[in-house]
Amino acid sequence: MGAGFVIRNNEGAVVYRGRWKIIGFFSPTLAEALCLENVLQFMISQGLSNFLIELDAKIVVDGINGAGINDSGTGMVFEDCRGLINRGSSFNLYNVRISAHVVAQCL
């Protein structure tokens, strides 16, 4: 699977962008969650803070923002993402339409 991300500042200018391949077969939900986990790790490693994180996968946003614990592989990745969001400085996760992610989709 492939993933792309774009990080913009408060003026909308791109400050980071990236893409990578992850080898394996994953459900779309697990794939989106794994990609988000990688982006969160990157953001923390760069010392980034005060970000709104927009994702077009509503099921992932709901799974991470929900308080429920799921013992499936996807649920464990959701928990890891929650931990990274809580560890980061002011990260907030929101769902947006896929059309809002044209630049990331192109990567």
Side-chain angles (χ1 to χ4, degrees):
M1 84 177 173
F5 71 95
V6 176
I7 300 174
R8 298 176 186 268
N9 65 15
N10 60 342
E11 296 173 356
V14 174
V15 292
Y16 292 98
R17 64 174 173 68
R19 61 184 167 88
W20 62 87
K21 287 184 186 178
I22 298 175
I23 306 301
F25 297 96
F26 305 96
S27 71
T29 301
L30 180 55
E32 290 275 356
L34 287 168
C35 292
L36 176 61
E37 183 178 30
N38 283 333
V39 170
L40 290 168
Q41 290 170 343
F42 171 79
M43 292 175 76
I44 290 169
S45 75
Q46 297 300 307
L48 300 175
S49 61
N50 298 318
F51 275 86
L52 304 176
I53 301 168
E54 299 175 340
L55 205 66
D56 59 25
K58 184 172 178 6
I59 192 167
V60 174
V61 173
D62 290 347
I64 293 169
N65 284 338
I69 296 174
N70 182 336
D71 62 359
S72 71
T74 303
M76 289 188 209
V77 177
F78 286 174
E79 287 183 52
D80 290 345
C81 287
R82 272 195 292 270
L84 290 167
I85 287 169
N86 290 333
R87 192 171 119 202
S89 297
S90 189
F91 293 159
N92 294 294
L93 185 62
Y94 297 94
N95 176 247
V96 296
R97 294 184 322 265
I98 195 167
S99 60
H101 292 140
V102 175
V103 174
Q105 296 290 337
C106 290
L107 288 174

